[in-house]
Amino acid sequence: MLATLIGMILSAIDGFGQAVTNQVPALISKDGHHALMVDGAPFFILGAQAHNSSGWPAMLPALWNAIEEVHANTLEVPVYWEQVEEEPGKFNFSLVDTLLVQARQHQVHLVLLWFATWKNGSNHYMPAWMKRDAVKYPNIVSKDGKPVDSPSPHAETTMKADMKAFAALMNYLKKADALHTVIMMQVENESGAWGCVRDYSPFAQKLFDEPVPAALLKPELLKALQVPIGTAGNWQKVFGDRADEYFQAWSVARFIGQVAAAGKAEYALPMYTNAALRNPFTNPPANYYESGGPTDNVIPIWKEAAPAIDLLAPDIYLSGTDTIMKVIDLYDRRDNALLVPELGWSGERAKYLYEVLARGGIGFSPFGIDDNEHGFSPVEMTDRLAPFAREYTVAAPMMRLLAKWGYEGKVKAAIEREDHADQTIDLGAWQAVVSFGDGERKASEKINNPPNGKIMIVQSGQDKFILIGTLCHVTFRPAGKNSGRAWQYLKVEEGRYDGEMFKPFRILNGDETDFGGPHFRLVPTVLETTLILR
């Protein structure tokens, strides 16, 4: 009897020390703001993604060690179609079971990545029995009639098989994951085709020559694609030199949208798909990137073709602050929650966490947290993880607050660019002037190389602010009708958040707030600051 009672109590508590609820994770939107709801409250994914071949039991110990070292709250990890359905119609979810059990033990949530019809533009994670039957499950054909290493989005046999397998996975998760350890699903991975803009097979060509579907001829969609309203006809007539790419995007999006819909019919977790990016400034031809995937120029097509996909997410491996900020601009939309599910693992890129939070994003995750190929020593691994670990260590205890503030539009940020120029943050009655560097007194005394200074500011009252930053100096000045007036700090407290409670360590004064304001060094610092006019 006692054992039964203990079992009932334990079953009512999840691996995160919270009572089990019936609230399935959900994505909500209001007035262009978005939140990922987990256990009934906004949640921000402080994530880390496994290497592509690390979702196997033998590889998991290294993953969990890295997750703990970086203080991530979510592991993004693949589920492989070739393992799930080694024989047609016979499903094996043993890897999913292992992931669920171990994630709960480590008090970490999961985002499962469905590696299925597409993985980086190819079909390499399809079951072997499908790969052996290229007639029934075809790849695309190039313009000159040659086979291309990329699945055809027009193969209904492939789509139905993928739908069936993904639906089986979601049905299993609904039963096996009452604790809601899995909070999101990625449907496919970097879909599209490399080196060939679309499928030129006879069947695909017949579709291409038919009239463009009415759904794509809506005035607002044509306007978004810079096509004259009222244009009609086949793909070439309507879309001109972009016709091949838009046809491929429509075809891939409809395929993946139907896979997602089949899964949602079983278990309606939030679902996204990710994009291998193109350069956002140059508008290159589609044969220079993964054609058909959810790149920035075809987001309107994807939104129309795949409504079951909740959001489109950029995988950021591009370089340069201006370029990356442009990508973030393009995917931060009223109709698209901002999620960065993959980010190149370099210390400089940690600063974009602040930008994603400031835009009310729902998650951020560098790729390849574990070392399964480079042979890093333990010291080298610690150094590699350190830039993200420092940020996650501070953000994790206050994650729920950051998610809530982001949803409410209360977070603002400044990140250092390559010119190291000062930046000004508008805070209503005040302005914050941020300079970047690692000097003892003024930031400009020592330039950051690389440019990885950053700060985010949460306005908790008209004259009260929460500051989190590194490698920068901030000072304030009155704005608006009080512009030019004298002012001073009433109080500057350094501390940390434990849930919703700020626990101060000390009051800063004199040396720490001279020269107009505090200086932030390499380790992220949390300050609660109150200003007064004189």
Side-chain angles (χ1 to χ4, degrees), residues 115-137:
F115 283 13
T117 298
W118 280 273
K119 166 65 174 73
N120 292 49
S122 299
N123 69 352
H124 299 169
Y125 287 82
M126 277 184 182
W129 52 269
M130 295 180 70
K131 294 176 186 174
R132 292 191 185 103
D133 194 344
V135 174
K136 188 174 182 180
Y137 308 105

Side-chain angles (χ1 to χ4, degrees), residues 277-282 296 314 316 318 320-332 352 355 359 417:
L277 300 176
R278 67 182 201 143
N279 187 304
F281 288 118
T282 60
D296 65 270
I316 299 180
L318 300 170
T321 304
D322 287 346
T323 301
I324 293 174
M325 290 290 282
K326 181 64 175 178
V327 168
I328 290 173
D329 282 342
L330 290 166
Y331 285 85
D332 175 23
Y352 298 106
E355 190 65 31
R359 292 167 179 262
R417 295 176 183 262

Side-chain angles (χ1 to χ4, degrees), residues 14-28 34-46 73-74 107-111 177-185 267-270 339 362-363 399-401 403-404 407:
D14 69 12
F16 306 89
Q18 297 176 332
V20 174
T21 73
N22 290 322
Q23 300 182 61
V24 176
L27 189 66
I28 64 169
H34 312 281
L36 175 62
M37 304 295 286
V38 176
D39 296 322
F43 183 94
F44 187 88
I45 295 171
L46 294 167
N73 64 27
T74 304
Q107 300 188 23
V108 172
H109 280 293
L110 296 172
V111 174
D177 190 26
L179 303 180
H180 307 312
T181 303
V182 179
I183 56 175
M184 290 191 82
M185 300 294 297
Y267 182 30
L269 283 179
L339 168 68
I362 65 168
M399 176 274 293
R400 292 286 188 175
L401 273 179
K404 177 177 178 288
Y407 179 54

Side-chain angles (χ1 to χ4, degrees), residues 294-504:
T295 50
D296 65 270
N297 58 322
V298 294
I299 289 176
I301 294 175
W302 269 82
K303 289 290 182 181
E304 183 64 35
I309 296 291
D310 294 288
L311 66 97
L312 308 173
D315 289 354
I316 299 180
Y317 294 93
L318 300 170
S319 299
T321 304
D322 287 346
T323 301
I324 293 174
M325 290 290 282
K326 181 64 175 178
V327 168
I328 290 173
D329 282 342
L330 290 166
Y331 285 85
D332 175 23
R333 298 164 49 112
R334 290 182 64 86
D335 65 350
N336 197 76
L338 179 61
L339 168 68
V340 178
E342 282 190 46
L343 187 83
W345 201 290
S346 67
E348 180 187 345
R349 288 192 172 100
K351 66 186 179 184
Y352 298 106
L353 169 65
Y354 286 42
E355 190 65 31
V356 173
L357 282 164
R359 292 167 179 262
I362 65 168
F364 180 87
S365 181
F367 171 79
I369 187 172
D370 57 316
D371 174 29
N372 70 356
E373 57 185 26
H374 296 98
F376 292 128
S377 70
V379 172
E380 289 172 326
M381 278 298 294
T382 296
D383 289 344
R384 181 173 179 265
L385 298 175
F388 294 90
R390 287 192 291 265
E391 303 301 337
Y392 283 16
T393 299
V394 171
M398 57 187 304
M399 176 274 293
R400 292 286 188 175
L401 273 179
L402 290 170
K404 177 177 178 288
W405 289 332
Y407 179 54
E408 295 171 345
K410 291 183 178 180
V411 185
K412 296 193 176 181
I415 63 173
E416 186 175 9
R417 295 176 183 262
E418 282 73 10
D419 63 3
H420 311 286
D422 290 0
Q423 296 181 39
T424 300
I425 300 176
D426 185 4
L427 299 166
W430 297 89
Q431 290 181 332
V433 181
V434 185
S435 56
F436 299 98
D438 192 23
E440 185 66 33
R441 293 291 187 178
K442 295 180 67 177
S444 59
E445 291 175 2
K446 186 177 180 182
I447 296 298
N448 296 324
N449 186 22
N452 51 9
K454 53 197 172 295
I455 192 167
M456 59 178 155
I457 301 178
V458 181
Q459 188 159 8
S460 56
Q462 180 172 307
D463 305 314
K464 191 171 183 178
F465 306 93
I466 299 154
L467 285 66
I468 307 171
T470 69
L471 299 174
C472 68
H473 171 269
V474 63
T475 189
F476 291 87
R477 62 190 181 198
K481 64 181 181 180
N482 292 319
S483 181
R485 287 187 60 179
W487 68 280
Q488 72 176 64
Y489 293 103
L490 181 65
K491 184 183 286 187
V492 180
E493 294 181 291
E494 179 182 341
R496 65 185 292 273
Y497 272 86
D498 185 359
E500 296 191 3
M501 296 294 296
F502 179 72
K503 296 185 175 181

